[in-house]
Amino acid sequence: MKLSSAQLVWIIVTEVCAIIGVRISPAIAISQQDTWISMLAAGVIGAALTLFTVHLSMLNPGQTLTQFSRALLGKWFGRIVVLPYLAAWYSFCTVILRDFTGFLQPILIDRTPLWIMMLIIMGLMIYLTSTAGITGIGRLCQIVGPVIIITLVISFVLNAGHAKGHYLLPVFSDTGWISIVKGSLGPAIWLPGPYTLLVVVAFMRNPRKALSSSLIGVGITIVLALAATLMVLMVFGPNLAAKIRYPYFLYVRTVDILDFIQNMDIFFMFIWIFGVSAQLSLLLFVASHESAQWFKAKSWRKFMWFSAPAIYAMALLIPDETGFEAYYNFGLYVVFPICGIAIPLLLWIVTLFRRKSVAT
């Protein structure tokens, strides 16, 4: 299984589906009309996280997180530090599966039980991941990524007549830096992928291009997220947009050109399904692969027959949408400091110490 540098770019770009889908509204609730500044700040934070994560992976070439953490920290402690990542990958996949299908069900197949909708998406994830692994996910992202960009640009152009610039005013004076930075953290952790680069970089055909490819992907993603945030703010205004759970998709519904071009949201939904399915497949692959490494199982594909049902069962146990934001906040304020900063910093320091010891 190998990834090209272009496939890594598009894998990161498809993250925009999660950012626009679930992170715009919470960010607007915090930083109001200055959320576009929060998106720019998220871009800076996301680029810094990407730089650090990819650099750490490149210092340990050809090894995924579980492999190089064991090599650096020893057999037992190296496995212990991987546990928070496994918990994060399984829970991220579970919540996105439940959140996304809960949103799609009333729009596409109303009166169909939610468990059937989740079963269909899970079937797509298992088929893609088991047949082609990370290479197949990369190829799907190569197709879906450009289509998502074209779709977003079309939606911006068609709704430009409804945009009102005064919704962006006043700039900065009503919020301040604390609110702007706080609003940026949610999108920032999604920009480089929720810690998946610590695994994915090991599969690159040319690891030396990992850094440039990752930063290009993050750059494209932040431009798209920034444009979507600006359009949502200028069409709905910050007060209304903060109360809508999926403001971009309601924004698409407002497209109306001379009563001829309408109801484009269904078209956008089908494209979005492929983008979110690619991201869910990536999380399933990373969780299965690293779990197999953690348990020293011979085949990650066989381990997937445990991980996929576990994710599906956990998604079924989520009763409704009321707990989603609490979980996202837990991931932001508890999981992120541990998995995004503390453990990578520890692994980076130990890596440099080991390399210095070998050199001397």
Side-chain angles (χ1 to χ4, degrees), residues 122-135:
M122 181 58 76
L124 289 173
M125 294 161 55
I126 293 173
Y127 176 76
L128 177 62
T129 308
S130 62
T131 54
I134 189 65
T135 305

Side-chain angles (χ1 to χ4, degrees), residues 173-349:
S173 60
D174 281 354
T175 52
W177 284 114
I178 294 178
S179 296
I180 289 173
V181 171
K182 193 176 177 183
S184 71
L185 294 179
I189 65 170
W190 283 96
L191 281 170
Y195 327 120
T196 52
L197 286 177
L198 289 167
V199 178
V200 171
V201 171
F203 294 96
M204 286 200 68
R205 191 174 293 119
N206 187 353
R208 288 179 297 178
K209 292 187 176 180
L211 190 56
S212 59
S213 301
S214 301
L215 291 177
I216 291 171
V218 170
I220 296 172
T221 306
I222 194 59
V223 169
L224 296 173
L226 173 63
T229 303
L230 280 169
M231 292 304 292
V232 166
L233 282 171
M234 289 192 290
V235 169
F236 295 123
N239 294 329
L240 178 58
K243 297 175 182 175
I244 305 172
R245 179 155 180 75
Y246 307 98
Y248 174 74
F249 297 104
L250 193 61
Y251 157 87
V252 174
R253 285 187 171 185
T254 63
V255 172
D256 183 358
I257 308 296
L258 300 175
D259 292 330
F260 178 70
I261 299 177
Q262 293 179 326
N263 301 322
M264 295 189 63
D265 52 312
I266 298 297
F267 173 70
F268 281 73
M269 292 302 158
F270 279 108
I271 295 173
W272 226 250
I273 287 174
F274 289 106
V276 174
S277 297
Q279 283 302 311
L280 286 170
S281 300
L282 176 65
L283 286 168
L284 176 61
F285 168 77
V286 169
S288 302
H289 189 279
E290 293 306 280
S291 296
Q293 290 285 334
W294 201 89
F295 285 103
K296 296 184 178 179
K298 293 182 179 178
S299 171
W300 66 266
R301 281 187 171 85
K302 291 181 179 176
F303 203 92
M304 194 179 66
W305 298 110
F306 161 77
S307 56
I311 290 169
Y312 181 69
M314 289 190 291
L316 286 175
L317 292 176
I318 299 177
D320 52 41
E321 299 178 355
T322 54
F324 289 165
E325 199 51 42
Y327 171 79
Y328 288 129
N329 286 333
F330 176 77
L332 178 61
Y333 297 113
V334 178
V335 177
F336 171 62
I338 297 173
C339 297
I341 299 174
I343 295 177
L345 188 60
L346 171 66
L347 293 171
W348 181 70
I349 292 171

Side-chain angles (χ1 to χ4, degrees), residues 112-184:
T112 301
L114 187 64
W115 65 269
I116 292 181
M117 192 72 189
M118 287 196 288
L119 198 61
I120 294 171
I121 299 295
M122 181 58 76
L124 289 173
M125 294 161 55
I126 293 173
Y127 176 76
L128 177 62
T129 308
S130 62
T131 54
I134 189 65
T135 305
I137 295 169
R139 287 173 181 166
L140 176 63
C141 291
Q142 267 186 306
I143 299 171
V144 174
V147 176
I148 290 173
I149 292 178
I150 294 170
T151 304
L152 286 169
V153 172
I154 290 174
S155 75
F156 300 152
V157 172
L158 292 180
N159 232 351
H162 295 153
K164 300 177 180 64
H166 67 83
Y167 280 136
L168 301 178
L169 300 176
V171 177
F172 188 74
S173 60
D174 281 354
T175 52
W177 284 114
I178 294 178
S179 296
I180 289 173
V181 171
K182 193 176 177 183
S184 71

Side-chain angles (χ1 to χ4, degrees), residues 52 56 65 68-69 72-73 77-86 195 198 334-351:
F52 183 49
L56 175 60
L65 172 67
F68 68 72
S69 65
L72 292 171
L73 303 177
F77 190 52
R79 295 174 76 185
I80 289 172
V81 299
V82 177
L83 288 175
Y85 291 94
L86 293 177
Y195 327 120
L198 289 167
V334 178
V335 177
F336 171 62
I338 297 173
C339 297
I341 299 174
I343 295 177
L345 188 60
L346 171 66
L347 293 171
W348 181 70
I349 292 171
V350 175
T351 300

